[in-house]
Amino acid sequence: LLVVDVVPTLQKMRAGVHEEFSYVLEGFGINLSDKRAEVIRIVKYYFWIVEVCYISAITACCCFTLAMLMRSMVLHRENLLSLYRGDTGKVFNDQRRIRPSQSAI
């Protein structure tokens, strides 16, 4: 959803950069170049850079989240298998007897 909402907005902003944008930058005291066409090219390039960095960051976050989720699931499965075999030392780091609680009985 973050990509679907933000990327089209960035693309519209990049497409909407016109010659007036260089006047706005000059109003804030930012002079990128004397040529208006070059200023527009630079601004569009930086909008493109923001878009690429945003997509890359979202992709990296999703990959990291999936990797941590898979790691957690594997560890959980190993702990359940250990408990099923009765090896409580691996799960609790000391030997315990597993007894059902009073409410389970």
Side-chain angles (χ1 to χ4, degrees):
L1 288 173
L2 290 172
V3 174
V4 172
D5 287 340
V6 175
V7 171
T9 305
L10 287 172
Q11 289 173 346
K12 287 177 189 175
M13 289 171 59
R14 188 168 30 122
V17 174
H18 296 293
E19 188 175 325
E20 295 86 25
F21 201 80
S22 63
Y23 296 122
V24 173
L25 289 176
E26 284 181 7
F28 286 107
I30 301 170
N31 189 9
L32 298 176
S33 176
D34 293 333
K35 299 177 184 176
R36 303 285 179 221
E38 189 175 352
V39 171
I40 293 169
R41 188 183 57 79
I42 291 170
V43 170
K44 284 186 177 185
Y45 175 74
Y46 279 109
F47 272 122
W48 180 79
I49 291 293
V50 168
E51 186 179 336
V52 168
C53 288
Y54 180 77
I55 291 171
S56 300
I58 293 292
T59 304
C61 288
C62 288
C63 289
F64 181 75
T65 301
L66 287 175
M68 290 297 109
L69 181 63
M70 290 178 67
R71 179 180 176 270
S72 174
M73 290 173 65
V74 167
L75 290 175
H76 185 68
R77 182 177 182 273
E78 287 177 4
N79 287 340
L80 285 176
L81 287 174
S82 296
L83 286 175
Y84 180 73
R85 281 180 270 160
D87 184 18
T88 58
K90 184 177 178 185
V91 177
F92 299 113
N93 294 328
D94 63 349
Q95 291 296 329
R96 295 184 184 179
R97 272 189 73 151
I98 299 177
R99 290 174 272 142
S101 65
Q102 292 296 328
S103 61
I105 296 176

